[in-house]
């Protein structure tokens, strides 16, 4: 998910830009890595790190913006909705299926949180596999949802449904219109979250996770679609010839600086719960800047650390890593420290650190194996079948090298 060098394969005038944007694949790994540590902060907290690690929740925001960008970048004028849906199914559903089956097995085997099982487990498993769980607020308070991180895929499924109908009108906009649209989408994303916080000052760290507002502002596909649409707008501007005036190093520095400021803010003790929300929503701006800068860098033919082979490989594994990491961390926390619930927050301890590192190592090995032995081969076969195209030669680079998965 491919040479590290960018190479256009067709004239962009045909509406089919084919330059590989490998830096975006490398960036995917850092986003997945951030999500991993946000769950470490919940399940295996380490002293003095929680305020930093919890900022990793913004990794999902990055994936939503990136998804809109890459799908628009690889869109071509003669594409059809059925073909697009077929490619998306081949890309995300097989790995969702196998990891959901694994999650159910762990749940029934007593390695995850206690559950009532039975009909409720069957219902939530079906909802997960049909990618509709993010539309059901109760899914975030039920102990029979087997695959908790899959909520973002439910959001993505909605984004995919919208994409064929949104991309063409957006691609027809002028650069000035696209700029206005980007500002509007950012204002909607930030404004909605700010209004909810100001209108509900009673929300605290203790009651936030079980409130309907938590569902609406964090997991609802409607609440998150502006992030995906912003990615479409940025890609449309780049396809029209716009290039980021901010270089990749500067954009990286701005992103790091932004999260450093949030981390510093966390030590002030002001609005500790709002911090994670500010990271998720405020990060939409710095992530848009970073994605545009990385794409511009690749289009100019410049190499970067992000397009290096190790990071591109990790980026390809990032979808599998995202799906398996929670299923690794929770059993460790449960077996070693007796963690009993998703809302049973243990106290930070240095004794957790070796288990965090072990969880990271196991997650990496499993994600590599899942990608190489299952995800990529199954995707190739399904894409060939659904599009009625011959399968790629065995030695071909993975395609689509930079496509998002979350």
């Amino acid at each position: 998910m491919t040479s590290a060098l960018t190479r256009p394969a067709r004239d962009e005038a045909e509406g089919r830009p084919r330059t590989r944007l490998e830096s975006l694949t490398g960036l995917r790994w850092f986003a997945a890595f951030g999500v991993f540590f946000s769950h470490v902060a919940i399940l295996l907290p380490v002293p003095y790190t929680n305020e930093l690690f919890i900022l990793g929740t913004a990794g999902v925001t990055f994936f939503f913006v990136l998804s809109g960008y890459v799908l628009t970048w690889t869109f071509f004028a003669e594409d059809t909705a059925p073909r697009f849906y077929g490619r998306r199914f081949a890309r995300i559903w097989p790995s969702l299926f196998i990891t959901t089956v694994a999650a159910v097995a762990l749940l029934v085997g007593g390695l995850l949180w206690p559950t009532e099982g039975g009909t409720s487990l069957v219902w939530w498993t079906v909802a997960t596999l049909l990618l509709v769980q993010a539309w059901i607020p109760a899914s975030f308070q039920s102990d029979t949802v087997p695959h908790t991180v899959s909520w973002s895929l439910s959001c993505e499924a909605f984004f995919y449904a919208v994409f064929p109908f949104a991309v063409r009108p957006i691609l027809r906009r002028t650069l000035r219109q696209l700029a206005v649209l980007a500002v509007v989408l950012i204002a909607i994303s930030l404004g909605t979250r700010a209004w909810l916080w100001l209108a509900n000052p009673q929300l605290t760290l203790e009651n936030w996770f079980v409130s309907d507002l938590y569902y609406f502002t964090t997991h609802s596909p409607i609440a998150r679609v502006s992030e995906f649409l912003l990615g479409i707008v940025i890609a449309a501007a780049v396809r029209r010839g716009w290039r980021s005036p901010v270089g990749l190093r500067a954009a990286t520095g701005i992103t790091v600086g932004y999260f450093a400021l949030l981390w510093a803010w966390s030590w002030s003790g002001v609005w500790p719960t709002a911090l994670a929300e500010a990271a998720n929503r405020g990060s939409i701006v710095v992530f848009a800047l970073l994605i545009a800068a990385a794409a511009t860098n690749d289009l100019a033919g410049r190499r970067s650390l992000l397009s290096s082979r190790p990071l591109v490989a990790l980026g390809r594994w990032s979808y599998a890593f995202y799906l398996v990491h929670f299923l690794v961390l929770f059993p460790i926390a449960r077996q070693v420290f007796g963690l009993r619930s998703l809302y049973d927050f243990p106290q930070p301890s240095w004794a957790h650190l070796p288990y965090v590192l072990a969880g990271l190592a196991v997650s990496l090995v499993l994600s590599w194996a899942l990608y190489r032995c299952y995800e990529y081969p199954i995707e190739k076969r399904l894409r060939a079948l659904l599009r009625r195209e011959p399968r790629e030669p065995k030695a071909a680079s993975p395609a689509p090298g930079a496509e998002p998965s979350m």
Side-chain angles (χ1 to χ4, degrees), residues 40 42-46 329-341 344-358:
V40 166
I42 296 172
L43 302 175
L44 294 167
V46 177
L329 287 177
F330 197 97
I332 290 175
R334 179 177 172 83
Q335 293 301 310
V336 178
F337 303 108
L339 193 65
R340 300 288 298 175
S341 165
D344 180 16
F345 304 120
Q347 292 299 311
S349 170
W350 288 112
H352 296 172
L353 184 58
Y355 297 101
V356 171
L357 297 176

PDB file of all heavy atoms in Angstrom, residues 40 42-46 329-341 344-358:
ATOM      1  N   VAL A  40      -1.845   2.718  24.115  1.00  0.00           N
ATOM      2  CA  VAL A  40      -0.933   2.435  25.219  1.00  0.00           C
ATOM      3  C   VAL A  40      -1.286   3.315  26.414  1.00  0.00           C
ATOM      4  O   VAL A  40      -1.284   2.866  27.568  1.00  0.00           O
ATOM      5  CB  VAL A  40       0.530   2.677  24.788  1.00  0.00           C
ATOM      6  CG1 VAL A  40       1.466   2.736  26.004  1.00  0.00           C
ATOM      7  CG2 VAL A  40       0.989   1.574  23.840  1.00  0.00           C
ATOM      8  N   ILE A  42      -4.067   4.263  27.353  1.00  0.00           N
ATOM      9  CA  ILE A  42      -5.282   3.772  28.003  1.00  0.00           C
ATOM     10  C   ILE A  42      -5.046   2.428  28.687  1.00  0.00           C
ATOM     11  O   ILE A  42      -5.489   2.204  29.818  1.00  0.00           O
ATOM     12  CB  ILE A  42      -6.427   3.637  26.975  1.00  0.00           C
ATOM     13  CG1 ILE A  42      -6.788   5.011  26.409  1.00  0.00           C
ATOM     14  CG2 ILE A  42      -7.652   2.975  27.601  1.00  0.00           C
ATOM     15  CD1 ILE A  42      -7.771   4.948  25.258  1.00  0.00           C
ATOM     16  N   LEU A  43      -4.349   1.533  28.003  1.00  0.00           N
ATOM     17  CA  LEU A  43      -4.240   0.149  28.457  1.00  0.00           C
ATOM     18  C   LEU A  43      -2.991  -0.137  29.290  1.00  0.00           C
ATOM     19  O   LEU A  43      -3.046  -0.917  30.246  1.00  0.00           O
ATOM     20  CB  LEU A  43      -4.260  -0.793  27.246  1.00  0.00           C
ATOM     21  CG  LEU A  43      -5.489  -0.714  26.345  1.00  0.00           C
ATOM     22  CD1 LEU A  43      -5.311  -1.616  25.134  1.00  0.00           C
ATOM     23  CD2 LEU A  43      -6.744  -1.091  27.116  1.00  0.00           C
ATOM     24  N   LEU A  44      -1.865   0.466  28.927  1.00  0.00           N
ATOM     25  CA  LEU A  44      -0.586   0.203  29.609  1.00  0.00           C
ATOM     26  C   LEU A  44       0.149   1.517  29.837  1.00  0.00           C
ATOM     27  O   LEU A  44       1.265   1.724  29.332  1.00  0.00           O
ATOM     28  CB  LEU A  44       0.279  -0.746  28.776  1.00  0.00           C
ATOM     29  CG  LEU A  44      -0.235  -2.176  28.597  1.00  0.00           C
ATOM     30  CD1 LEU A  44       0.541  -2.890  27.494  1.00  0.00           C
ATOM     31  CD2 LEU A  44      -0.126  -2.952  29.902  1.00  0.00           C
ATOM     32  N   PRO A  45      -0.440   2.446  30.571  1.00  0.00           N
ATOM     33  CA  PRO A  45       0.160   3.781  30.699  1.00  0.00           C
ATOM     34  C   PRO A  45       1.525   3.743  31.375  1.00  0.00           C
ATOM     35  O   PRO A  45       1.771   2.985  32.310  1.00  0.00           O
ATOM     36  CB  PRO A  45      -0.866   4.545  31.547  1.00  0.00           C
ATOM     37  CG  PRO A  45      -1.603   3.479  32.296  1.00  0.00           C
ATOM     38  CD  PRO A  45      -1.667   2.307  31.373  1.00  0.00           C
ATOM     39  N   VAL A  46       2.413   4.586  30.851  1.00  0.00           N
ATOM     40  CA  VAL A  46       3.771   4.733  31.369  1.00  0.00           C
ATOM     41  C   VAL A  46       3.883   6.131  31.976  1.00  0.00           C
ATOM     42  O   VAL A  46       3.359   7.096  31.407  1.00  0.00           O
ATOM     43  CB  VAL A  46       4.804   4.543  30.237  1.00  0.00           C
ATOM     44  CG1 VAL A  46       6.218   4.761  30.753  1.00  0.00           C
ATOM     45  CG2 VAL A  46       4.664   3.153  29.622  1.00  0.00           C
ATOM     46  N   LEU A 329      -2.527  -5.517  22.456  1.00  0.00           N
ATOM     47  CA  LEU A 329      -2.315  -4.768  23.692  1.00  0.00           C
ATOM     48  C   LEU A 329      -3.292  -5.163  24.796  1.00  0.00           C
ATOM     49  O   LEU A 329      -2.892  -5.302  25.960  1.00  0.00           O
ATOM     50  CB  LEU A 329      -2.434  -3.263  23.415  1.00  0.00           C
ATOM     51  CG  LEU A 329      -1.288  -2.595  22.659  1.00  0.00           C
ATOM     52  CD1 LEU A 329      -1.610  -1.126  22.397  1.00  0.00           C
ATOM     53  CD2 LEU A 329       0.017  -2.720  23.438  1.00  0.00           C
ATOM     54  N   PHE A 330      -4.568  -5.334  24.444  1.00  0.00           N
ATOM     55  CA  PHE A 330      -5.544  -5.606  25.512  1.00  0.00           C
ATOM     56  C   PHE A 330      -5.304  -6.959  26.183  1.00  0.00           C
ATOM     57  O   PHE A 330      -5.323  -7.043  27.417  1.00  0.00           O
ATOM     58  CB  PHE A 330      -6.983  -5.527  24.987  1.00  0.00           C
ATOM     59  CG  PHE A 330      -7.992  -5.391  26.095  1.00  0.00           C
ATOM     60  CD1 PHE A 330      -8.479  -4.147  26.457  1.00  0.00           C
ATOM     61  CD2 PHE A 330      -8.430  -6.504  26.822  1.00  0.00           C
ATOM     62  CE1 PHE A 330      -9.385  -4.011  27.508  1.00  0.00           C
ATOM     63  CE2 PHE A 330      -9.326  -6.379  27.857  1.00  0.00           C
ATOM     64  CZ  PHE A 330      -9.813  -5.125  28.204  1.00  0.00           C
ATOM     65  N   PRO A 331      -5.079  -8.051  25.433  1.00  0.00           N
ATOM     66  CA  PRO A 331      -4.785  -9.320  26.113  1.00  0.00           C
ATOM     67  C   PRO A 331      -3.554  -9.244  27.014  1.00  0.00           C
ATOM     68  O   PRO A 331      -3.518  -9.869  28.082  1.00  0.00           O
ATOM     69  CB  PRO A 331      -4.564 -10.287  24.950  1.00  0.00           C
ATOM     70  CG  PRO A 331      -5.391  -9.742  23.845  1.00  0.00           C
ATOM     71  CD  PRO A 331      -5.251  -8.253  23.987  1.00  0.00           C
ATOM     72  N   ILE A 332      -2.531  -8.472  26.595  1.00  0.00           N
ATOM     73  CA  ILE A 332      -1.358  -8.307  27.452  1.00  0.00           C
ATOM     74  C   ILE A 332      -1.754  -7.625  28.754  1.00  0.00           C
ATOM     75  O   ILE A 332      -1.418  -8.079  29.857  1.00  0.00           O
ATOM     76  CB  ILE A 332      -0.262  -7.503  26.730  1.00  0.00           C
ATOM     77  CG1 ILE A 332       0.339  -8.327  25.588  1.00  0.00           C
ATOM     78  CG2 ILE A 332       0.831  -7.082  27.716  1.00  0.00           C
ATOM     79  CD1 ILE A 332       1.349  -7.568  24.756  1.00  0.00           C
ATOM     80  N   ALA A 333      -2.495  -6.522  28.639  1.00  0.00           N
ATOM     81  CA  ALA A 333      -2.917  -5.789  29.830  1.00  0.00           C
ATOM     82  C   ALA A 333      -3.826  -6.637  30.714  1.00  0.00           C
ATOM     83  O   ALA A 333      -3.749  -6.581  31.946  1.00  0.00           O
ATOM     84  CB  ALA A 333      -3.626  -4.494  29.417  1.00  0.00           C
ATOM     85  N   ARG A 334      -4.671  -7.431  30.112  1.00  0.00           N
ATOM     86  CA  ARG A 334      -5.598  -8.264  30.879  1.00  0.00           C
ATOM     87  C   ARG A 334      -4.867  -9.386  31.615  1.00  0.00           C
ATOM     88  O   ARG A 334      -5.111  -9.634  32.806  1.00  0.00           O
ATOM     89  CB  ARG A 334      -6.661  -8.857  29.957  1.00  0.00           C
ATOM     90  CG  ARG A 334      -7.660  -9.772  30.673  1.00  0.00           C
ATOM     91  CD  ARG A 334      -8.731 -10.256  29.700  1.00  0.00           C
ATOM     92  NE  ARG A 334      -9.574 -11.276  30.306  1.00  0.00           N
ATOM     93  CZ  ARG A 334     -10.608 -11.027  31.088  1.00  0.00           C
ATOM     94  NH1 ARG A 334     -10.929  -9.778  31.352  1.00  0.00           N
ATOM     95  NH2 ARG A 334     -11.328 -12.014  31.593  1.00  0.00           N
ATOM     96  N   GLN A 335      -3.966 -10.068  30.922  1.00  0.00           N
ATOM     97  CA  GLN A 335      -3.296 -11.215  31.518  1.00  0.00           C
ATOM     98  C   GLN A 335      -2.250 -10.801  32.552  1.00  0.00           C
ATOM     99  O   GLN A 335      -2.091 -11.457  33.588  1.00  0.00           O
ATOM    100  CB  GLN A 335      -2.627 -12.039  30.421  1.00  0.00           C
ATOM    101  CG  GLN A 335      -3.605 -12.705  29.468  1.00  0.00           C
ATOM    102  CD  GLN A 335      -4.565 -13.650  30.176  1.00  0.00           C
ATOM    103  OE1 GLN A 335      -4.151 -14.507  30.954  1.00  0.00           O
ATOM    104  NE2 GLN A 335      -5.856 -13.482  29.915  1.00  0.00           N
ATOM    105  N   VAL A 336      -1.560  -9.719  32.292  1.00  0.00           N
ATOM    106  CA  VAL A 336      -0.460  -9.329  33.175  1.00  0.00           C
ATOM    107  C   VAL A 336      -0.938  -8.474  34.341  1.00  0.00           C
ATOM    108  O   VAL A 336      -0.479  -8.639  35.478  1.00  0.00           O
ATOM    109  CB  VAL A 336       0.628  -8.592  32.384  1.00  0.00           C
ATOM    110  CG1 VAL A 336       1.755  -8.129  33.297  1.00  0.00           C
ATOM    111  CG2 VAL A 336       1.192  -9.507  31.293  1.00  0.00           C
ATOM    112  N   PHE A 337      -1.872  -7.560  34.077  1.00  0.00           N
ATOM    113  CA  PHE A 337      -2.273  -6.611  35.107  1.00  0.00           C
ATOM    114  C   PHE A 337      -3.745  -6.711  35.494  1.00  0.00           C
ATOM    115  O   PHE A 337      -4.240  -5.902  36.262  1.00  0.00           O
ATOM    116  CB  PHE A 337      -1.946  -5.182  34.647  1.00  0.00           C
ATOM    117  CG  PHE A 337      -0.492  -4.999  34.318  1.00  0.00           C
ATOM    118  CD1 PHE A 337      -0.067  -4.860  33.015  1.00  0.00           C
ATOM    119  CD2 PHE A 337       0.463  -4.993  35.327  1.00  0.00           C
ATOM    120  CE1 PHE A 337       1.274  -4.707  32.709  1.00  0.00           C
ATOM    121  CE2 PHE A 337       1.803  -4.840  35.030  1.00  0.00           C
ATOM    122  CZ  PHE A 337       2.214  -4.695  33.717  1.00  0.00           C
ATOM    123  N   GLY A 338      -4.451  -7.674  34.919  1.00  0.00           N
ATOM    124  CA  GLY A 338      -5.842  -7.891  35.323  1.00  0.00           C
ATOM    125  C   GLY A 338      -6.811  -6.858  34.808  1.00  0.00           C
ATOM    126  O   GLY A 338      -7.864  -6.639  35.419  1.00  0.00           O
ATOM    127  N   LEU A 339      -6.497  -6.207  33.697  1.00  0.00           N
ATOM    128  CA  LEU A 339      -7.414  -5.219  33.122  1.00  0.00           C
ATOM    129  C   LEU A 339      -8.729  -5.892  32.761  1.00  0.00           C
ATOM    130  O   LEU A 339      -8.746  -6.924  32.087  1.00  0.00           O
ATOM    131  CB  LEU A 339      -6.792  -4.589  31.880  1.00  0.00           C
ATOM    132  CG  LEU A 339      -7.468  -3.337  31.318  1.00  0.00           C
ATOM    133  CD1 LEU A 339      -7.373  -2.185  32.303  1.00  0.00           C
ATOM    134  CD2 LEU A 339      -6.820  -2.931  30.004  1.00  0.00           C
ATOM    135  N   ARG A 340      -9.851  -5.316  33.195  1.00  0.00           N
ATOM    136  CA  ARG A 340     -11.140  -5.978  33.040  1.00  0.00           C
ATOM    137  C   ARG A 340     -12.091  -5.271  32.084  1.00  0.00           C
ATOM    138  O   ARG A 340     -13.078  -5.848  31.664  1.00  0.00           O
ATOM    139  CB  ARG A 340     -11.837  -6.078  34.408  1.00  0.00           C
ATOM    140  CG  ARG A 340     -11.073  -6.853  35.453  1.00  0.00           C
ATOM    141  CD  ARG A 340     -11.083  -8.339  35.164  1.00  0.00           C
ATOM    142  NE  ARG A 340     -12.427  -8.894  35.184  1.00  0.00           N
ATOM    143  CZ  ARG A 340     -12.732 -10.150  34.874  1.00  0.00           C
ATOM    144  NH1 ARG A 340     -11.773 -10.961  34.471  1.00  0.00           N
ATOM    145  NH2 ARG A 340     -13.980 -10.579  34.925  1.00  0.00           N
ATOM    146  N   SER A 341     -11.822  -4.031  31.752  1.00  0.00           N
ATOM    147  CA  SER A 341     -12.789  -3.265  30.964  1.00  0.00           C
ATOM    148  C   SER A 341     -12.066  -2.219  30.132  1.00  0.00           C
ATOM    149  O   SER A 341     -10.950  -1.800  30.452  1.00  0.00           O
ATOM    150  CB  SER A 341     -13.801  -2.590  31.898  1.00  0.00           C
ATOM    151  OG  SER A 341     -14.529  -1.584  31.234  1.00  0.00           O
ATOM    152  N   ASP A 344     -11.575   0.649  32.400  1.00  0.00           N
ATOM    153  CA  ASP A 344     -10.828   0.368  33.619  1.00  0.00           C
ATOM    154  C   ASP A 344      -9.414   0.900  33.421  1.00  0.00           C
ATOM    155  O   ASP A 344      -8.507   0.189  33.004  1.00  0.00           O
ATOM    156  CB  ASP A 344     -10.816  -1.143  33.879  1.00  0.00           C
ATOM    157  CG  ASP A 344     -10.050  -1.497  35.145  1.00  0.00           C
ATOM    158  OD1 ASP A 344      -9.806  -0.598  35.961  1.00  0.00           O
ATOM    159  OD2 ASP A 344      -9.707  -2.691  35.305  1.00  0.00           O
ATOM    160  N   PHE A 345      -9.243   2.188  33.705  1.00  0.00           N
ATOM    161  CA  PHE A 345      -7.972   2.844  33.406  1.00  0.00           C
ATOM    162  C   PHE A 345      -6.941   2.559  34.499  1.00  0.00           C
ATOM    163  O   PHE A 345      -7.090   3.033  35.623  1.00  0.00           O
ATOM    164  CB  PHE A 345      -8.164   4.361  33.277  1.00  0.00           C
ATOM    165  CG  PHE A 345      -9.189   4.747  32.254  1.00  0.00           C
ATOM    166  CD1 PHE A 345     -10.310   5.480  32.597  1.00  0.00           C
ATOM    167  CD2 PHE A 345      -9.038   4.377  30.928  1.00  0.00           C
ATOM    168  CE1 PHE A 345     -11.252   5.834  31.651  1.00  0.00           C
ATOM    169  CE2 PHE A 345      -9.978   4.723  29.969  1.00  0.00           C
ATOM    170  CZ  PHE A 345     -11.092   5.454  30.336  1.00  0.00           C
ATOM    171  N   PRO A 346      -5.884   1.796  34.190  1.00  0.00           N
ATOM    172  CA  PRO A 346      -4.859   1.514  35.198  1.00  0.00           C
ATOM    173  C   PRO A 346      -3.978   2.727  35.455  1.00  0.00           C
ATOM    174  O   PRO A 346      -3.895   3.649  34.639  1.00  0.00           O
ATOM    175  CB  PRO A 346      -4.056   0.370  34.566  1.00  0.00           C
ATOM    176  CG  PRO A 346      -4.246   0.545  33.098  1.00  0.00           C
ATOM    177  CD  PRO A 346      -5.622   1.111  32.906  1.00  0.00           C
ATOM    178  N   GLN A 347      -3.319   2.722  36.582  1.00  0.00           N
ATOM    179  CA  GLN A 347      -2.404   3.808  36.915  1.00  0.00           C
ATOM    180  C   GLN A 347      -1.091   3.636  36.155  1.00  0.00           C
ATOM    181  O   GLN A 347      -0.643   2.510  35.908  1.00  0.00           O
ATOM    182  CB  GLN A 347      -2.127   3.823  38.424  1.00  0.00           C
ATOM    183  CG  GLN A 347      -3.323   4.207  39.265  1.00  0.00           C
ATOM    184  CD  GLN A 347      -3.817   5.611  38.939  1.00  0.00           C
ATOM    185  OE1 GLN A 347      -3.030   6.562  38.887  1.00  0.00           O
ATOM    186  NE2 GLN A 347      -5.109   5.735  38.729  1.00  0.00           N
ATOM    187  N   PRO A 348      -0.452   4.740  35.755  1.00  0.00           N
ATOM    188  CA  PRO A 348       0.833   4.631  35.054  1.00  0.00           C
ATOM    189  C   PRO A 348       1.879   3.915  35.906  1.00  0.00           C
ATOM    190  O   PRO A 348       1.939   4.099  37.126  1.00  0.00           O
ATOM    191  CB  PRO A 348       1.217   6.092  34.812  1.00  0.00           C
ATOM    192  CG  PRO A 348      -0.080   6.841  34.844  1.00  0.00           C
ATOM    193  CD  PRO A 348      -0.919   6.136  35.854  1.00  0.00           C
ATOM    194  N   SER A 349       2.693   3.115  35.248  1.00  0.00           N
ATOM    195  CA  SER A 349       3.746   2.387  35.951  1.00  0.00           C
ATOM    196  C   SER A 349       4.880   2.084  34.980  1.00  0.00           C
ATOM    197  O   SER A 349       4.638   1.750  33.810  1.00  0.00           O
ATOM    198  CB  SER A 349       3.203   1.080  36.530  1.00  0.00           C
ATOM    199  OG  SER A 349       4.244   0.260  37.006  1.00  0.00           O
ATOM    200  N   TRP A 350       6.119   2.171  35.486  1.00  0.00           N
ATOM    201  CA  TRP A 350       7.265   1.812  34.653  1.00  0.00           C
ATOM    202  C   TRP A 350       7.286   0.322  34.352  1.00  0.00           C
ATOM    203  O   TRP A 350       7.922  -0.111  33.390  1.00  0.00           O
ATOM    204  CB  TRP A 350       8.567   2.230  35.336  1.00  0.00           C
ATOM    205  CG  TRP A 350       8.780   3.719  35.334  1.00  0.00           C
ATOM    206  CD1 TRP A 350       8.768   4.555  36.404  1.00  0.00           C
ATOM    207  CD2 TRP A 350       9.029   4.535  34.192  1.00  0.00           C
ATOM    208  NE1 TRP A 350       8.982   5.852  36.012  1.00  0.00           N
ATOM    209  CE2 TRP A 350       9.155   5.877  34.656  1.00  0.00           C
ATOM    210  CE3 TRP A 350       9.153   4.291  32.823  1.00  0.00           C
ATOM    211  CZ2 TRP A 350       9.403   6.941  33.801  1.00  0.00           C
ATOM    212  CZ3 TRP A 350       9.403   5.348  31.974  1.00  0.00           C
ATOM    213  CH2 TRP A 350       9.529   6.654  32.463  1.00  0.00           C
ATOM    214  N   ALA A 351       6.584  -0.454  35.162  1.00  0.00           N
ATOM    215  CA  ALA A 351       6.501  -1.900  34.918  1.00  0.00           C
ATOM    216  C   ALA A 351       5.775  -2.209  33.622  1.00  0.00           C
ATOM    217  O   ALA A 351       5.904  -3.308  33.077  1.00  0.00           O
ATOM    218  CB  ALA A 351       5.796  -2.590  36.088  1.00  0.00           C
ATOM    219  N   HIS A 352       5.009  -1.245  33.092  1.00  0.00           N
ATOM    220  CA  HIS A 352       4.279  -1.452  31.839  1.00  0.00           C
ATOM    221  C   HIS A 352       5.189  -1.386  30.616  1.00  0.00           C
ATOM    222  O   HIS A 352       4.849  -1.935  29.568  1.00  0.00           O
ATOM    223  CB  HIS A 352       3.183  -0.396  31.689  1.00  0.00           C
ATOM    224  CG  HIS A 352       2.127  -0.473  32.729  1.00  0.00           C
ATOM    225  ND1 HIS A 352       1.131   0.484  32.864  1.00  0.00           N
ATOM    226  CD2 HIS A 352       1.861  -1.384  33.692  1.00  0.00           C
ATOM    227  CE1 HIS A 352       0.328   0.174  33.863  1.00  0.00           C
ATOM    228  NE2 HIS A 352       0.757  -0.957  34.375  1.00  0.00           N
ATOM    229  N   LEU A 353       6.325  -0.686  30.757  1.00  0.00           N
ATOM    230  CA  LEU A 353       7.147  -0.398  29.578  1.00  0.00           C
ATOM    231  C   LEU A 353       7.606  -1.655  28.825  1.00  0.00           C
ATOM    232  O   LEU A 353       7.495  -1.702  27.587  1.00  0.00           O
ATOM    233  CB  LEU A 353       8.344   0.464  29.970  1.00  0.00           C
ATOM    234  CG  LEU A 353       9.243   0.937  28.825  1.00  0.00           C
ATOM    235  CD1 LEU A 353       8.433   1.736  27.793  1.00  0.00           C
ATOM    236  CD2 LEU A 353      10.392   1.795  29.358  1.00  0.00           C
ATOM    237  N   PRO A 354       8.122  -2.691  29.493  1.00  0.00           N
ATOM    238  CA  PRO A 354       8.525  -3.891  28.730  1.00  0.00           C
ATOM    239  C   PRO A 354       7.364  -4.519  27.973  1.00  0.00           C
ATOM    240  O   PRO A 354       7.560  -5.042  26.862  1.00  0.00           O
ATOM    241  CB  PRO A 354       9.050  -4.836  29.821  1.00  0.00           C
ATOM    242  CG  PRO A 354       9.408  -3.953  30.958  1.00  0.00           C
ATOM    243  CD  PRO A 354       8.427  -2.820  30.918  1.00  0.00           C
ATOM    244  N   TYR A 355       6.176  -4.434  28.527  1.00  0.00           N
ATOM    245  CA  TYR A 355       5.009  -5.016  27.865  1.00  0.00           C
ATOM    246  C   TYR A 355       4.557  -4.167  26.682  1.00  0.00           C
ATOM    247  O   TYR A 355       4.043  -4.684  25.694  1.00  0.00           O
ATOM    248  CB  TYR A 355       3.878  -5.210  28.878  1.00  0.00           C
ATOM    249  CG  TYR A 355       4.258  -6.173  29.969  1.00  0.00           C
ATOM    250  CD1 TYR A 355       4.662  -5.716  31.222  1.00  0.00           C
ATOM    251  CD2 TYR A 355       4.237  -7.542  29.738  1.00  0.00           C
ATOM    252  CE1 TYR A 355       5.028  -6.597  32.220  1.00  0.00           C
ATOM    253  CE2 TYR A 355       4.612  -8.438  30.738  1.00  0.00           C
ATOM    254  CZ  TYR A 355       5.001  -7.962  31.979  1.00  0.00           C
ATOM    255  OH  TYR A 355       5.373  -8.849  32.949  1.00  0.00           O
ATOM    256  N   VAL A 356       4.762  -2.859  26.779  1.00  0.00           N
ATOM    257  CA  VAL A 356       4.481  -1.983  25.636  1.00  0.00           C
ATOM    258  C   VAL A 356       5.400  -2.341  24.472  1.00  0.00           C
ATOM    259  O   VAL A 356       4.957  -2.482  23.323  1.00  0.00           O
ATOM    260  CB  VAL A 356       4.674  -0.504  26.028  1.00  0.00           C
ATOM    261  CG1 VAL A 356       4.593   0.392  24.786  1.00  0.00           C
ATOM    262  CG2 VAL A 356       3.629  -0.081  27.050  1.00  0.00           C
ATOM    263  N   LEU A 357       6.677  -2.499  24.774  1.00  0.00           N
ATOM    264  CA  LEU A 357       7.651  -2.841  23.725  1.00  0.00           C
ATOM    265  C   LEU A 357       7.357  -4.217  23.144  1.00  0.00           C
ATOM    266  O   LEU A 357       7.469  -4.426  21.926  1.00  0.00           O
ATOM    267  CB  LEU A 357       9.070  -2.793  24.293  1.00  0.00           C
ATOM    268  CG  LEU A 357       9.530  -1.413  24.787  1.00  0.00           C
ATOM    269  CD1 LEU A 357      10.917  -1.499  25.410  1.00  0.00           C
ATOM    270  CD2 LEU A 357       9.509  -0.395  23.654  1.00  0.00           C
ATOM    271  N   ALA A 358       6.964  -5.159  24.004  1.00  0.00           N
ATOM    272  CA  ALA A 358       6.599  -6.490  23.516  1.00  0.00           C
ATOM    273  C   ALA A 358       5.367  -6.411  22.628  1.00  0.00           C
ATOM    274  O   ALA A 358       5.298  -7.062  21.573  1.00  0.00           O
ATOM    275  CB  ALA A 358       6.348  -7.435  24.689  1.00  0.00           C
TER     276      ALA A 358
END
